[in-house]
Amino acid sequence: MLISKMAAEGGGKEMNEIKTQFTTREGVYKLLTHSEYSRPNRVPFNSQGSNPVKVSFVNVNDQSGNGDRICFNVGRELYFYIYKGVRKAADLSKPIDKRIYKGTQPTCHDFNHLTATAESVSLLVGFSAGQVQLIDPIKKETSKLFNEERLIDKSRVTCVKWVPGSESLFLVAHSSGNMYLYNVEHTCGTTAPHYQLLKQGESYSVHTCKSKSTRNPLLKWTVGEGALNEFAFSPDGKFLACVSQDGFLRVFNFDAVELHGTMRSYFGGLLCVCWSPDGKYIVTGGEDDLVTVWSFLDCRVIARGHGHKSWVSVVAFDHYTTSVEETDPTEFSGSDEDFQDQIHFGRDRANSTQSRLSKRNSMDSRPVSVTYRFGSVCQDTQLCLWDLTEDILFPHLPLSRTRTHTNVMNATGLSVGGGGVGGVASAANNPGTNGSSGTNPTASSLPATLPRSNSLPHSAAATASAGGSSKGSAPDGAVASSVSKFATLSLHERKERHHEKDHKRNHSMGHISSKSSDKLNLLTKTKADPAKTLGTMLCPRMEDVPLLEPLICKKIAHERLTVLIFLEDCIVTACQEGFICTWARPGKVGLLSSQNQANSPSGTVV
């Protein structure tokens, strides 16, 4: 079967091969070499000592059907092109705008989608020396430079974003751990700002700028310890999720300047964060090599995902594959074709996802089946796709009346079949299975079309007790054993066992060793001692929450991956060599060049 073949891929020599396509339940994603963007000379960039390559999109509502624009930074250079999605890329020798900076490097950027037109766009660019530039790459103008004299903050800009719904407000995060709210209409002043405390809470404080006339910054946020690595606004723009080098996710009510909830990584700093389309879940990634799913409503970790072998650099939800069906997931049965009909792409699906997800908590008694798709890319050069399904989100459903267990491939790509406790087995490992989806604890009781649960065994004993429940379950004990040891197994041991050379760190997942960096050692001296938070709501133990397995985990680049953006027709990735790759979604490869604007990618940056 196709899915079984997918599960078997990736072992041995294939692990070092770069994939140009991969298969999920909705079909085949293909790398489009003719759609690749890079520097005009197409030479791999020597990335040592350079800031991560980042990509931003905007749609300028151009009536020609080529309304999408792409901006990306490589080293000291910044490029601005027409983006043609799954069609042939623009002529790289003719960028709309190109800038080369001296003495500093661009680190991040963001378009204002509200004000973008075919004649003008507002692009914010953050720099390694701390400045923020406002430019118009269409008019080729540089309108303003903020923090020009570095009087506000001298550290590297880590993240810059326009405040949702605003034409003039933007937020800037620095590696100093501070965030600043700016207004493009105001100046920064010629002297260092003086601040007045506005609000203070656990591990954060917010100050206003004290001056006779309004000046930038309007607000200064000090969040946690160490660098503030990334932030993301909720879909409604009311909340702000921040991840820091101290390992904490902190979620604030942005307007009220109040802390809503916190979560701590399993180990090390958190590097990236994103929101689900309905704002109910937040996913983070970081130096613990895990992706962590946090419930905004319950303020708790509901799942972790283990598939990467190094630091996770980007996480993003796929709005176009997140599926909402007004059906009872426990009663659905039928052919693969029936399920394919339920999973389809398109602007209508993306636009309606949030409103339909909101029905989950409405008074409407009709059950709604939800599957969230998100992805992650990593310094190990691998792309992982994940499904967050009903049995993880709502464990009280009849489907998961007993604890759910599912088999998983281990790090070497071992293909595993078989059943699990409670009768819930991976649909991928039983592609030919049919039947009703009751609570009968047999692997054959689940329809093949049920979205896979992706939850791992919680202990070796649990899976061992289900041994022999289906063909191909012989390796289950070995896999479950490796999973049960995950919380205490040092990465050095894992390295020896799998002959991996990806990890340069030698530490235990449960604590910070003396070989960790000085910056991380400082974390043990803060209030949130990792040893004290482990096992609490802030950071539950590995065995206390479901462990997701990736739907796919593929090596797609030679250098570390720094970009993952989901568009309507494609997925966009980029690596530190400066190559921006377009992966056509299933059925989107043969699109005609005459397609109109309605079929062009949305240009939404996730």
Side-chain angles (χ1 to χ4, degrees), residues 163 199 201 214 285 300 325-326 343 397 525 539 590:
V163 174
K199 188 166 288 189
T214 307
R300 66 181 183 87
E325 306 299 337
E326 292 176 7
I343 307 297
L397 289 177
K525 300 174 184 176
C539 180

Side-chain angles (χ1 to χ4, degrees), residues 181-226:
L181 180 66
Y182 289 83
N183 188 323
V184 294
E185 306 298 333
H186 299 154
T187 63
C188 291
T190 55
T191 58
H194 295 280
Y195 297 104
Q196 181 175 328
L197 183 65
L198 175 67
K199 188 166 288 189
Q200 194 166 13
E202 186 178 347
S203 298
Y204 83 97
S205 61
V206 182
H207 292 78
T208 57
C209 197
K210 238 168 83 175
S211 63
K212 292 179 181 178
S213 58
T214 307
R215 60 163 285 183
N216 284 319
L218 304 178
L219 291 178
K220 174 187 176 182
W221 296 62
T222 302
V223 180
E225 300 283 337

Side-chain angles (χ1 to χ4, degrees), residues 226 246 281 374 384 474-475 508 512 548:
D246 62 5
Y281 302 98
F374 66 94
C384 287
S508 164
I512 300 173
L548 306 179

Side-chain angles (χ1 to χ4, degrees), residues 7-52:
E9 284 181 4
K13 294 180 181 178
E14 290 188 6
M15 283 296 289
N16 296 320
E17 293 179 6
I18 292 181
K19 306 299 180 184
T20 56
Q21 67 179 50
F22 55 84
T23 306
T24 65
R25 66 165 182 268
E26 59 270 10
V28 180
Y29 290 76
K30 294 183 179 178
L31 176 65
L32 304 179
T33 53
H34 63 270
S35 302
E36 182 181 271
Y37 284 76
S38 69
R39 297 187 301 163
N41 60 14
R42 294 188 180 274
V43 175
F45 177 67
N46 183 1
S47 60
Q48 284 193 338
S50 292
N51 289 286

Side-chain angles (χ1 to χ4, degrees), residues 325-360:
E325 306 299 337
E326 292 176 7
T327 57
D328 188 338
T330 64
E331 293 178 359
F332 179 79
S333 63
S335 66
D336 287 342
E337 288 75 21
D338 295 334
F339 187 66
Q340 291 290 343
D341 290 342
Q342 293 195 26
I343 307 297
H344 62 272
F345 299 113
R347 191 176 299 279
D348 293 339
R349 162 61 60 89
N351 290 343
S352 64
T353 296
Q354 186 169 343
S355 60
R356 297 180 72 192
L357 284 170
S358 66
K359 293 181 182 178
R360 184 84 217 185

Side-chain angles (χ1 to χ4, degrees), residues 10 22 37 50 55 57 62 111 160 258 286 402 416 435 504 544 595:
F22 55 84
Y37 284 76
S50 292
V55 172
F57 286 101
D62 184 356
F111 287 106
V160 59
E258 291 177 347
T402 52
V416 183
K504 300 287 166 69
D544 291 341
Q595 67 183 151

